[in-house]
Amino acid sequence: MIRTVIIKVFLIGSLLTSCSKETLIPDLEGSLVGYVYTFDEFANRLRDRSGVLVTAHGLRQYTTLTDDAGRFEFTRLPTGTYELHFYKQGFGGLKYQGVVHLGGMPTTLGLSYTPSINSQAFFIYRIPETRIADLSVGNDSLTATFDFKDDQPERMAIQVYLSGVSGFTSADASQTITCHMLPDNGKFKCKMNFSNLSFESGMKVWFKAAILNRKISVYDLDGRIVAGIDTYIDYTTYKTVYPNLGDESNQFSFVMP
Amino acid sequence: MNRINFRLSCPDLLALSGWLAVILIINACEEVSGPMTVNSVITGGAYIAAPGTEEGILVVAHGPYGQGSAVTDTYGNFTISGLANGTYYLEYSMDGFGTMWQYDIRLYGNDTARAVYTQLYEKPPALKLPALKKAFIGVRPRNNPEPVWICFDTDIRRQNVADYGLQFMLCMSIHENVSWDNYEICDFTWSGQFNWDAYLQDDVYSIYIDIRNLKNAYREIFPFPTGYRVYVKGYPCNKGESGGYLDTYLGVRQFSTLDKTRSTNTISFIMP
């Protein structure tokens, strides 16, 4: 009798504690495809787009490489939200957050089906080897001298950090501007609009700069515009990261006109 | 039948209950791989360039658990319902028109995704293709003649023009074996006109490409430096489909009406 009761209790308990309904497993997987363009430090497009290591960070990590055309494909990637990391020796590393991959048929990143909507792709640049030798401000323009490793490019862009305090770091600059510079008698120049600067007239302003050449878009895929994804937000600092930002120059100064 | 025979003793009943419970537990705990939801919808629109109705374009949604389909109504609209969660691609087709594929339609469940409005193009007629007879850099005969055009004479005369299909694209390459699969530029920006040929005593159809337009369209990636020999071959394709569409999975431009099985002869010129 006791044995019967034990068995009954066991059976009822088993039934109660067992699953009450079938459990659906989100087991979809599928391809995730995207495209990478590579550039030299002056943002000139490179033909070789192969060998960029792409890592998908989800619950697990998955890696793949780009082919000659910059195309990468993760095959049989499980459903999930991923952060993509792009790495190639000598290039600035790029991140791309919040890639939602449902699985099933391919998830295709960036390229637009119709010609009327611009496509997007991931742009990575070589880290600058060029150094900023000198900076000066005068006559409504900013002049820079560079030490180029190779041929002088047709244009240069620099990120300029300004502060009223000597010895400042770029992180605590009171103002940051971008200068697009053209060659001028062996140096490079850009217009300086002092009215956009938030310093009082007569004040000594300290500044330094870093090379930051970027490409907004390229023409590819038979004449279509492909816009670049080349920065990301660092969510620990909530600041935009420019992966190919060069080293900071020495500090220079000018008096605000 | 004697009902008494169905009576079971208490131990038998217990054993039977036990087995039943085990079966129930096994079944109840089964993990089923399948869609989380089956109530998503894809809507969209498709139309054709030719005059007439937009009705009757077949749209098939290929998804992780099978496919659904719909036919466009008189306004070109379609709705495919009862779809499971996951990523889909759409296939648009109609007799006599090129088939197009649109990727990356995402269904999260309990939702409606809107597909990009899509135009289908009529396939080019299966007529003769012109022979490209002579290529040269020259002046296009006009009221205001403009130099530096790429010119091709053809074997089409005004009297036999009806025999020829003039819907084709020109693929160009620095490689002699230029083809649809091996080109630097495939382009529709040619235009044609009849010019009087004194020797033939007839109007002869010539094809012209404006080099400035070509260079402007391809800007930084124009692949034919001055002095390079460029090889040209034509393929039947609806000229209206000038930009084609991007196969976002393969990362290449596609033409739904391109007939890869037929082509003109290959001809070459030196880029000025």
Side-chain angles (χ1 to χ4, degrees):
Chain A
M1 184 63 184
I2 292 169
R3 207 175 81 177
T4 308
V5 169
I6 290 169
I7 291 170
K8 280 183 177 175
V9 167
F10 170 74
L11 285 173
I12 291 165
S14 299
L15 277 170
L16 287 174
T17 54
S18 69
C19 312
S20 58
K21 60 178 180 181
E22 64 186 25
T23 307
L24 288 170
I25 308 299
D27 64 343
L28 280 186
E29 50 186 32
S31 286
L32 176 77
V33 177
Y35 302 87
V36 180
Y37 288 81
T38 55
F39 300 85
D40 67 14
E41 65 167 294
F42 306 118
N44 298 311
R45 210 169 128 187
L46 300 173
R47 285 197 180 276
D48 180 17
R49 294 156 66 185
S50 65
V52 179
L53 180 70
V54 188
T55 310
H57 295 259
L59 291 175
R60 292 180 183 174
Q61 284 185 26
Y62 304 85
T63 58
T64 188
L65 291 167
T66 57
D67 63 17
D68 292 343
R71 179 180 182 273
F72 65 87
E73 178 174 6
F74 293 95
T75 53
R76 302 192 62 185
L77 188 70
T79 301
T81 302
Y82 291 90
E83 180 172 300
L84 301 182
H85 292 194
F86 301 87
Y87 172 80
K88 187 170 185 176
Q89 182 74 38
F91 289 74
L94 180 65
K95 295 179 183 177
Y96 186 67
Q97 293 120 340
V99 176
V100 177
H101 175 63
L102 296 184
M105 296 301 145
T107 301
T108 59
L109 299 176
L111 295 194
S112 168
Y113 170 67
T114 59
S116 56
I117 301 170
N118 288 347
S119 292
Q120 282 190 314
F122 303 101
F123 287 10
I124 62 168
Y125 308 84
R126 278 200 169 278
I127 298 287
E129 292 186 11
T130 301
R131 294 276 173 262
I132 300 172
D134 187 41
L135 292 170
S136 62
V137 171
N139 296 332
D140 293 342
S141 63
L142 191 153
T143 305
T145 309
F146 297 100
D147 288 335
F148 292 110
K149 296 277 180 192
D150 293 314
D151 292 341
Q152 176 178 304
E154 291 177 2
R155 55 178 64 84
M156 288 290 287
I158 56 172
Q159 189 96 296
V160 183
Y161 309 100
L162 304 112
S163 172
V165 182
S166 176
F168 74 106
T169 65
S170 59
D172 50 36
S174 54
Q175 197 168 357
T176 304
I177 58 172
T178 303
C179 273
H180 297 278
M181 316 186 89
L182 293 171
D184 185 275
N185 290 327
K187 297 182 177 183
F188 279 77
K189 269 189 180 177
C190 66
K191 282 279 177 199
M192 191 91 169
N193 191 348
F194 291 105
S195 63
N196 288 341
L197 299 185
S198 54
F199 299 99
E200 290 178 15
S201 180
M203 186 178 171
K204 190 166 189 180
V205 180
W206 302 90
F207 70 105
K208 52 176 73 172
I211 293 170
L212 182 61
N213 290 304
R214 298 171 65 194
K215 193 84 170 173
I216 302 298
S217 61
V218 296
Y219 287 92
D220 198 15
L221 303 161
D222 301 290
R224 289 171 191 242
I225 294 172
V226 182
I229 299 166
D230 62 357
T231 63
Y232 61 94
I233 304 282
D234 180 344
Y235 285 105
T236 57
T237 60
Y238 286 96
K239 287 191 171 173
T240 301
V241 176
Y242 300 94
N244 61 318
L245 187 67
D247 293 335
E248 285 177 23
S249 69
N250 292 329
Q251 179 182 272
F252 301 88
S253 68
F254 66 93
V255 176
M256 187 73 179
Chain B
M1 188 176 283
N2 190 345
R3 288 176 179 235
I4 297 169
N5 291 340
F6 271 78
R7 283 186 182 173
L8 297 170
S9 65
C10 189
D12 291 339
L13 199 62
L14 267 174
L16 188 63
S17 311
W19 283 114
L20 271 172
V22 169
I23 290 165
L24 274 171
I25 290 165
I26 290 168
N27 284 334
C29 288
E30 190 179 11
E31 293 179 331
V32 177
S33 63
M36 307 291 280
T37 61
V38 289
N39 58 356
S40 289
V41 177
I42 299 175
T43 65
Y47 64 104
I48 54 179
T53 178
E54 273 74 40
E55 192 175 5
I57 298 169
L58 176 65
V59 186
V60 180
H62 299 267
Y65 301 102
Q67 61 188 47
S69 65
V71 174
T72 53
D73 63 19
T74 50
Y75 302 104
N77 298 320
F78 69 88
T79 301
I80 307 171
S81 49
L83 296 172
N85 60 289
T87 304
Y88 286 72
Y89 71 84
L90 298 181
E91 180 181 356
Y92 300 84
S93 63
M94 191 177 191
D95 275 351
F97 289 78
T99 300
M100 295 175 82
W101 286 269
Q102 184 180 347
Y103 286 92
D104 204 0
I105 314 288
R106 300 179 196 182
L107 297 179
Y108 296 83
N110 308 313
D111 57 346
T112 298
R114 177 87 195 169
V116 174
Y117 213 50
T118 295
Q119 179 176 3
L120 296 194
Y121 296 89
E122 198 165 9
K123 288 180 180 171
L127 295 170
K128 268 169 60 174
L129 285 170
L132 304 176
K133 298 191 76 167
K134 187 177 118 188
F136 58 98
I137 306 301
V139 176
R140 183 182 189 180
R142 309 286 278 192
N143 288 336
N144 298 304
E146 293 171 340
V148 203
W149 289 70
I150 306 166
C151 315
F152 305 100
D153 285 346
T154 72
D155 61 343
I156 305 173
R157 299 180 198 177
R158 194 181 287 279
Q159 62 185 21
N160 65 1
V161 65
D163 298 335
Y164 288 88
L166 293 175
Q167 297 282 329
F168 59 90
M169 67 160 71
L170 293 174
C171 292
M172 293 172 247
S173 173
I174 53 172
H175 303 289
E176 202 169 348
N177 58 342
V178 57
S179 73
W180 164 249
D181 296 314
N182 181 25
Y183 70 90
E184 275 80 47
I185 290 177
C186 268
D187 199 79
F188 283 101
T189 60
W190 62 270
S191 54
Q193 68 182 43
F194 284 102
N195 300 313
W196 175 252
D197 187 303
Y199 175 73
L200 294 169
Q201 293 288 299
D202 197 356
D203 275 345
V204 174
Y205 194 75
S206 297
I207 290 167
Y208 300 93
I209 299 173
D210 186 338
I211 296 179
R212 291 164 304 177
N213 283 349
L214 197 66
K215 284 184 173 176
N216 190 42
Y218 291 87
R219 294 180 214 190
E220 67 196 55
I221 55 165
F222 189 70
F224 307 132
T226 299
Y228 269 54
R229 181 169 288 280
V230 180
Y231 296 88
V232 183
K233 185 185 259 187
Y235 284 87
C237 192
N238 188 327
K239 259 193 115 172
E241 199 184 356
S242 59
Y245 71 97
L246 269 191
D247 182 321
T248 59
Y249 175 61
L250 294 175
V252 291
R253 187 173 64 155
Q254 298 283 18
F255 294 92
S256 67
T257 61
L258 175 70
D259 182 355
K260 297 178 186 178
T261 63
R262 298 196 303 136
S263 64
T264 67
N265 58 308
T266 302
I267 198 164
S268 70
F269 66 92
I270 303 291
M271 181 57 72

